[in-house]
Amino acid sequence: MVMPIILQKDRKIISAVKCLDPPFELPQELNITSLVSTKKISNLSKFPQFSLNPAPDTSRDLKEWGIFLNFLHKYDKVAIINFQKYKFFILPPSIASESSPVNVAYEIDNTCSVDTHPRDYESVECGGPNTAKDLKFPPRAEDHVNLFTAETCNEFQSRLPVKNFIRVDPSYLKTLGQVHSGWIFGGIAELVDNSRDAKATKMDIFVDLINLKKSGKDVPMLSVIDDGNGMNHAEVMKMVSFGHKQSDKDDKDHIGKFGVGFKTGAMRLGRDVLVLTQTTNSRSLAFLSQSLNEGKDNIEIPIVSYCRHGQRMEVDLTLFGGGTGTQIYIWNLDEWGSKYCLEWHDGLKGGSSFHQGDILISSKRIRSRPGQISQKVPLDYSLRAYLEVIFLVPRMKISVQGTLVKSRPLGNFLTQIVIETDNILGRPVELILGFSQLEWEQANCGMFLYWHGRLIEAYKRVGGMIHNADVGRGVIGVVNVTNLMDEQDGRVWVHNNKQGFQDSQPYACLEQWLGRKADKYWDDNFDSLTLDKQNCVFKPDHEWVQCDKCRKWRILPSDFDSRKLPVQWFCYMDPFKGQCADAEQKMEPGIVNVSTKRSGYDCLLKDSDNEKMEVVTTSATGSDEKLLNTEDVKFPALKRLKRGLKTMISTRHNHFF
C-alpha cells in the first residue's frame, strides 16, 4: 500500500512524499511543529519506524526536499510532528540528497488500560466513555509490544479514507459571478464595501489599458485601490475562502456579513483578479483566477505572504506610499456582445462638472421597478451617480477615473423635510421625507433603503406611487432599516448580493408603513398646493458642504452663494469659520417653494384669479416642455389627485352611462 502525504513546515509545503506499507493510516498532511537536537530525545532507536520517500510534483519540491534533509544531517536535528495521539520523529539521514528517503520513528501516548499478557494479542479493553471491547488486532512481528498500548480503541473505529475531501470544480468561480448577473455595479459595490469596512479614507476606481507581454495586446484592467488597514495572511485566507464563520460582534457600521462578497463581485467583473494588501507588519498577494484553473479538477488560489517580527520589512513606496492598504486588479473583463460590459472615459481636464470621468454600463438599461415609467435614472448605469448616494453618511473620498466623486447624502438635499419616527414590530424606525427638484424633473420618486449605512434599494415606490405616475413625483424618502432587518440571533433579511431584501414579515410591515407615510406626506403637502411664480427653482431647505479633512457636513447660511466655494473646502474657511472638532450639524424641517405646475390641471375656470404663471405641458413624446404664457390666465383651485383602481372604474362607468 502506497500512501501519498504532503510534508509541511509551519503550514508551508516542503514536498510531496509517499509512505510504502504504513503501519496505520496516516493523515494526508504532516506539519512539522519543531526541530530539536537528537541528544535531547532518548531511546529513539526503540520506537517503531517507517520510511518516507520523496515524490515531488515539481522541481521546486525536489529542491526543498534536498535542503530539508541537508539541514537535518548537518545539524543533527530531529523534526517533530504532533498529530492527535501520535508523535512522529523524522530522523536525520546518514546521506543527504534530493532522492534520499528518510526514516520516521513514532510513539503514541498510553491512554488505555490494556491487557498486554504475552499469551496472545486478541483482546484489548479500554476504559472511559469511548470503551470498545473484544477488538482483535493482527500482530506484526516488527512492531513493539507497546504498539497496542499506544492507540486508543476509538481511533481504530474512526479511521477515514485517505482521500476524504470535497472537490470544488473551477466552474464554480463563474457561478459565483452570477450572483450579480442582473447588475454589474453590484460587483463593484462589494469591493467598495470591503474598503469601507477596512476604515479606508480614500479610494480610487479606474479602468486603464495594460499591455500583456504574452499576447502583445492592450487590454483593459479595472483597478480598485484604497488606503485602509490592509489584511494579514489569515484575513486574506478568510477573504478568498468560500464562506466563513460570522463574527458575533454586532457592528452597525460594518457591512460585510456573508463571506462571499469579494468572490462574487470580482468574478462578475472579470476572469482574473490579483490582490495586493499590506498591513503595518505584513504583506500578502492572492490570485483568484478562472484562467489559471482551466483544465483542473479543483480550484487553486495561490497566496504568498511574509511578515515582520522584530526585523525590518522592505517597503515598496511605489505601491502603498509607505502606509497600509489594498490594491485589486481585475482583467479579462466581462463582455457585452463585441464590447465590454463597462465603458469608461476620463473626462476633460479643467472642464466643468459635466465633463468628469465616469464608468458606465454599456447597455445603459434602467432597472425594473414596480410603477416606474421614467427612463432617466443615472445611478442605474453611471458609477459616479451611484457612488454619490451609496452611503447614508459618506466619509470616504472616492475617485472614479481620476476625478473625485461629490458625495450627496440624500437627506441633506431635500426641501420641506418631514421626519417620521415609529416602531415596527417593536423596533425603532426613522424616515426622512422631502422633495427633490432634480428627481421631479426626471419623473422619479420613491424610498431609498439603507442597511448598515449602505444603499440596498433605490427609488422603491410605495403606496399611491405604484399606481399613478404623477403621485409622489419628486418625493424622496430616506430610511435606515438596520434595526428592523437584523435579528438578535444573527440572521439578517438582506440578500447576500446586498441589492434587495428577503420576503419577510419585517419587510412586509415596512412596505405598508412607508406607503401610509408617503401618501400622508403627499396629501398634506401637495394636494393643497399654492404656486409661487417668483422662483422657478427648488432649493433645499439648507445647502451643505463637506469638509475635505474631517468629512463632516456643515450647513451654509441661506444668503451664501455655494458657487463661491473652493474645490477643496475646510472647516476653518468661510462661511463656517469653525474647527473640525465641532460637532456635525443636524437638519431641521423647512418649507417647500413650488413654481412648476403639476399635470392634470390644464382646465381654466372663469371665476379663478388672474395670474401670470409658468405652465408645464407634456408633449406627445412624453418629455416636459416649459411654455411661458405672459397673458393673464385663470386657473382653478387645486384638488386632490384621484388614484387607485376603484376610482378609475367608477370614472369610466359614469362616462359610458
Side-chain angles (χ1 to χ4, degrees):
M1 177 180 177
V2 179
M3 183 176 294
I5 300 172
I6 300 297
L7 185 63
Q8 301 176 334
K9 173 68 170 67
D10 297 332
R11 297 300 176 187
K12 296 181 180 180
I13 296 175
I14 295 177
S15 176
V17 296
K18 58 184 179 181
C19 179
L20 301 177
D21 194 21
F24 45 83
E25 291 185 2
L26 298 172
Q28 292 180 345
E29 297 178 352
L30 291 176
N31 184 57
I32 298 173
T33 55
S34 61
L35 295 166
V36 298
S37 173
T38 55
K39 298 178 181 180
K40 295 184 178 181
I41 304 177
S42 59
N43 300 324
L44 276 176
S45 60
K46 296 181 180 181
F47 294 157
Q49 299 182 8
F50 61 89
S51 63
L52 293 178
N53 294 279
D57 295 329
T58 63
S59 59
R60 176 261 177 202
D61 288 359
L62 185 63
K63 181 179 178 181
E64 290 293 328
W65 176 257
I67 295 174
F68 172 64
L69 294 189
N70 184 64
F71 176 83
L72 297 182
H73 173 75
K74 182 177 179 180
Y75 296 99
D76 196 25
K77 295 285 188 178
V78 175
I80 300 178
I81 300 172
N82 293 305
F83 176 74
Q84 296 181 355
K85 300 295 183 180
Y86 299 90
K87 180 174 283 189
F88 301 97
F89 305 91
I90 301 179
L91 306 179
S94 56
I95 300 176
S97 68
E98 294 180 348
S99 58
S100 299
V102 69
N103 292 328
V104 181
Y106 63 94
E107 68 171 348
I108 308 176
D109 295 335
N110 187 359
T111 59
C112 296
S113 175
V114 182
D115 182 6
T116 58
H117 196 276
R119 294 172 300 176
D120 55 47
Y121 296 95
E122 296 181 350
S123 178
V124 181
E125 295 185 8
C126 299
N130 296 323
T131 299
K133 297 183 178 181
D134 299 329
L135 289 177
K136 296 182 179 181
F137 305 107
R140 293 169 55 95
E142 67 273 20
D143 288 344
H144 192 271
V145 174
N146 287 335
L147 168 64
F148 298 105
T149 68
E151 295 195 46
T152 65
C153 304
N154 187 48
E155 290 170 339
F156 275 96
Q157 289 180 318
S158 61
R159 287 179 177 176
L160 298 175
V162 176
K163 292 186 178 181
N164 184 29
F165 59 87
I166 300 298
R167 184 175 64 87
V168 182
D169 191 89
S171 63
Y172 185 61
L173 293 177
K174 187 175 182 179
T175 303
L176 287 173
Q178 294 177 356
V179 172
H180 298 285
S181 59
W183 196 48
I184 194 171
F185 281 171
I188 297 180
E190 297 282 9
L191 307 183
V192 176
D193 293 344
N194 291 343
S195 295
R196 183 176 182 267
D197 288 344
K199 310 300 181 185
T201 60
K202 292 188 296 184
M203 184 177 191
D204 292 317
I205 304 174
F206 58 92
V207 179
D208 203 358
L209 294 178
I210 62 169
N211 183 266
L212 296 181
K213 293 183 178 180
K214 186 175 181 179
S215 62
K217 296 181 180 179
D218 290 336
V219 298
M221 182 174 68
L222 174 65
S223 302
V224 180
I225 302 173
D226 69 52
D227 65 347
N229 296 330
M231 294 175 284
N232 57 31
H233 180 78
E235 291 169 333
V236 173
M237 291 289 293
K238 186 177 179 180
M239 180 187 71
V240 299
S241 299
F242 298 101
H244 54 77
K245 177 177 173 56
Q246 303 299 327
S247 173
D248 296 331
K249 183 179 179 181
D250 185 18
D251 187 354
K252 299 298 183 183
D253 292 328
H254 195 82
I255 304 173
K257 192 76 175 178
F258 306 101
V260 295
F262 168 76
K263 280 82 66 178
T264 59
M267 291 295 97
R268 174 64 178 94
L269 295 166
R271 289 172 51 83
D272 304 296
V273 184
L274 179 68
V275 180
L276 298 173
T277 182
Q278 179 168 297
T279 65
T280 55
N281 59 6
S282 70
R283 176 177 288 176
S284 300
L285 179 149
F287 187 39
L288 183 64
S289 170
Q290 296 182 38
S291 301
L292 174 68
N293 287 281
E294 282 184 353
K296 298 183 179 180
D297 60 355
N298 201 16
I299 292 178
E300 295 181 4
I301 306 175
I303 300 175
V304 178
S305 299
Y306 67 91
C307 55
R308 174 178 58 190
H309 292 291
Q311 299 179 359
R312 180 180 178 184
M313 180 178 72
E314 182 180 355
V315 176
D316 187 349
L317 298 180
T318 62
L319 282 178
F320 295 94
T324 62
T326 299
Q327 301 181 4
I328 300 175
Y329 301 99
I330 305 174
W331 64 98
N332 285 330
L333 300 181
D334 201 12
E335 296 178 348
W336 171 267
S338 59
K339 304 185 298 181
Y340 292 101
C341 286
L342 298 177
E343 296 179 2
W344 57 93
H345 57 85
D346 295 335
L348 302 178
K349 292 184 178 180
S352 67
S353 58
F354 297 100
H355 299 89
Q356 294 178 337
D358 202 356
I359 297 177
L360 307 173
I361 297 178
S362 297
S363 65
K364 296 183 178 61
R365 295 173 59 198
I366 304 301
R367 302 177 71 186
S368 176
R369 299 179 181 89
Q372 178 175 302
I373 62 172
S374 171
Q375 295 300 308
K376 297 179 181 179
V377 190
L379 67 81
D380 281 354
Y381 53 83
S382 166
L383 182 61
R384 177 173 294 275
Y386 175 52
L387 295 179
E388 286 179 356
V389 297
I390 188 173
F391 295 128
L392 182 64
V393 182
R395 301 294 187 196
M396 183 168 55
K397 293 182 179 180
I398 305 178
S399 296
V400 175
Q401 293 300 114
T403 308
L404 184 66
V405 174
K406 197 69 174 178
S407 299
R408 189 163 57 93
L410 287 176
N412 296 350
F413 287 79
L414 302 175
T415 185
Q416 194 168 358
I417 294 170
V418 172
I419 300 177
E420 298 281 356
T421 58
D422 206 340
N423 285 294
I424 300 178
L425 300 178
R427 304 171 194 174
V429 178
E430 181 179 279
L431 169 66
I432 300 175
L433 277 170
F435 183 85
S436 170
Q437 169 74 6
L438 176 63
E439 302 299 351
W440 189 94
E441 293 172 353
Q442 297 176 346
N444 290 324
C445 65
M447 302 293 157
F448 283 68
L449 307 184
Y450 289 83
W451 173 78
H452 285 256
R454 209 286 232 148
L455 180 63
I456 304 298
E457 280 194 61
Y459 297 112
K460 178 178 179 58
R461 289 177 174 253
V462 293
M465 300 177 182
I466 301 176
H467 310 292
N468 191 319
D470 281 330
V471 173
R473 178 172 176 175
V475 174
I476 296 296
V478 181
V479 58
N480 186 353
V481 298
T482 304
N483 293 329
L484 187 61
M485 295 301 164
D486 284 1
E487 299 288 352
Q488 293 182 353
D489 59 2
R491 186 175 183 179
V492 297
W493 299 109
V494 180
H495 291 314
N496 59 14
N497 64 2
K498 298 194 267 303
Q499 297 300 323
F501 296 93
Q502 299 180 32
D503 185 13
S504 59
Q505 182 186 15
Y507 188 57
C509 295
L510 175 67
E511 284 184 316
Q512 296 175 3
W513 183 77
L514 291 175
R516 293 194 300 268
K517 295 301 180 181
D519 288 346
K520 182 178 182 300
Y521 178 83
W522 181 256
D523 292 341
D524 293 345
N525 294 279
F526 292 91
D527 271 354
S528 57
L529 188 65
T530 58
L531 299 181
D532 181 0
K533 280 72 62 180
Q534 304 301 324
N535 186 5
C536 62
V537 178
F538 289 93
K539 293 186 64 177
D541 291 344
H542 304 289
E543 289 192 281
W544 298 70
V545 61
Q546 188 178 30
C547 175
D548 282 303
K549 181 180 179 181
C550 66
R551 307 302 290 169
K552 294 179 181 178
W553 291 86
R554 308 300 187 185
I555 298 177
L556 296 176
S558 57
D559 58 347
F560 186 83
D561 187 356
S562 60
R563 293 173 297 181
K564 296 181 180 179
L565 291 172
V567 176
Q568 284 192 322
W569 185 88
F570 302 96
C571 292
Y572 67 84
M573 294 182 177
D574 289 334
F576 186 68
K577 293 184 178 180
Q579 298 179 354
C580 289
D582 295 343
E584 193 169 41
Q585 296 160 288
K586 295 183 178 181
M587 57 186 169
E588 298 176 354
I591 300 175
V592 64
N593 294 316
V594 182
S595 64
T596 48
K597 186 174 182 296
R598 290 163 48 214
S599 60
Y601 297 99
D602 293 333
C603 58
L604 304 177
L605 298 181
K606 296 180 180 180
D607 55 348
S608 60
D609 298 332
N610 292 342
E611 297 287 349
K612 292 183 179 180
M613 63 173 293
E614 185 180 353
V615 181
V616 177
T617 62
T618 303
S619 65
T621 61
S623 61
D624 291 340
E625 298 177 355
K626 292 186 177 181
L627 302 177
L628 185 60
N629 186 357
T630 57
E631 299 179 357
D632 290 344
V633 296
K634 300 179 180 181
F635 55 89
L638 299 181
K639 300 180 180 179
R640 174 174 298 184
L641 286 174
K642 302 297 182 183
R643 58 177 175 273
L645 183 60
K646 183 176 179 180
T647 305
M648 185 184 300
I649 296 175
S650 176
T651 304
R652 291 182 178 178
H653 178 80
N654 294 336
H655 175 73
F656 290 125
F657 291 91

